[in-house]
Each structure stands twice: as structure tokens, then as C-alpha cells.
Amino acid sequence: MATKIRLQRGGHKGYAVYRIVVADSRAPRDGRFIEKLGTYNPNTAPSTIDLNFERALYWVEVGAQPTDTVHSILSHEGVYLMKHLRGGIKKGAFDEAEAQKRFDAWKEAKEKGLDKVRTEAAKKKKAAYDKELEAEKAINEAIAKKVSEKKAAAAAAAAEAEAPAEETEAPAEA
């Protein structure tokens, strides 16, 4: 039986969330599957991937063929690197401790890169928020200035209207 590692659609309209599953290659996309390996949510930034690493590595090693998207997800998570390192162990190029050390170094470098991207995104978001806030403050100050000018003009007009009225009333009384 030919097996595939593929995505199975879930979620709702406009918000797709996928399960990463191992299925018979003849089974429909959202049909029967052999095993669920994890989930993939492309709606978050960055995309959220929850993967059972050991089972995914097992299925890749026994020959399950991933779809293009799943292949990139597995590469992103390091499944193919670990498969490559295990091949080196089998050939005697290095031992298991060295393979794990190399994998951990790769994973740590990847996490540092992701953290850098996340912090830069947070800084950009904060800068955009601050810029928007400053623009809103400037608009509010302009509006407040116009309102105060209007009130001052209205008060001056009211004072002028009362002043001639008082002047005309004063001579009439005398």
C-alpha cells in the first residue's frame, strides 16, 4: 500500500486549519487516514505547527511520500535533517551523540532566527501603533484648537453684542 503524508482540511470557511495525517494514497483528501501526526494553522503569524516529531520521522523513514506543503513543513521542523543524520549514523560517519549535537545546534540557531523575526515584527507593530497614536493626538489637538477658537470668537461676538446694548441702555437711563 502506498502511503502519503498529507494535509486534511478542517476549521471553517475563511479560516482553514489542517491536520497532518498519514493516509493511503487512494483515500480522498478529507477521508480516512492511518494516523494523525499533528496540526498546521497557516492563519497565525508565523504559522503554528504542532507535530509529533518521532512519528513523522518514522513514517518518512519507512517511505511515506509527503505532499509538497507537508514536505516543506517537515523540513522546517527538522525531520529531514534528522533522517539525513541517521543515515550518517548507519554509514558510520559519526555516532548518535554527535548527530543529536548537530541537530540541537541547528534547532537552536533556527529558534534564535525565529525569535529575531518575532521581536522585529513586535517592534514594527509597536512603531506603527506609536505613529498612529501621534497622528491621532495631532488631529485631536487641531480639533481642540479649532473648537477653542470658535468658542473664543463666539464669546467675543457675545461680548460685542452686550457692550453696545449696555451703552445704549446707559444714556437712556440718564
Side-chain angles (χ1 to χ4, degrees):
M1 160 173 75
T3 55
K4 284 215 169 259
I5 303 174
R6 63 167 58 149
L7 296 176
Q8 188 176 50
R9 192 179 195 288
H12 53 81
K13 184 177 178 181
Y15 194 87
V17 178
Y18 299 93
R19 284 191 259 175
I20 302 169
V21 297
V22 177
D24 183 5
S25 62
R26 297 168 291 183
R29 179 191 72 179
D30 296 337
R32 193 169 173 176
F33 60 90
I34 299 168
E35 182 178 354
K36 178 183 172 189
L37 299 178
T39 58
Y40 168 61
N41 184 356
N43 301 307
T44 60
S47 298
T48 306
I49 300 168
D50 179 34
L51 183 69
N52 184 340
F53 186 85
E54 292 301 319
R55 291 305 294 169
L57 182 60
Y58 165 77
W59 281 104
V60 168
E61 286 180 337
V62 296
Q65 294 297 312
T67 60
D68 293 337
T69 306
V70 174
H71 186 278
S72 68
I73 290 170
L74 296 178
S75 294
H76 178 75
E77 292 296 308
V79 173
Y80 282 101
L81 176 64
M82 184 55 88
K83 180 184 176 194
H84 175 73
L85 292 172
R86 283 192 177 179
I89 294 169
K90 289 177 186 173
K91 291 178 183 176
F94 44 82
D95 61 347
E96 199 164 324
E98 177 66 22
Q100 191 61 42
K101 182 177 143 188
R102 289 182 185 187
F103 182 76
D104 291 339
W106 174 82
K107 194 73 165 174
E108 189 163 325
K110 187 167 185 62
E111 285 299 320
K112 283 182 183 177
L114 286 174
D115 288 342
K116 184 178 177 183
V117 168
R118 288 182 189 120
T119 55
E120 286 177 7
K123 285 180 184 178
K124 283 182 182 179
K125 188 175 182 180
K126 177 137 177 59
Y129 175 76
D130 290 343
K131 185 177 178 183
E132 191 175 305
L133 186 63
E134 289 299 320
E136 189 174 334
K137 284 181 181 179
I139 290 171
N140 287 345
E141 288 174 3
I143 290 172
K145 186 176 179 181
K146 283 182 183 178
V147 167
S148 65
E149 288 174 358
K150 225 179 205 182
K151 284 184 179 179
E160 281 183 23
E162 287 181 17
E166 289 177 4
E167 289 177 8
T168 54
E169 289 177 17
E173 290 177 16

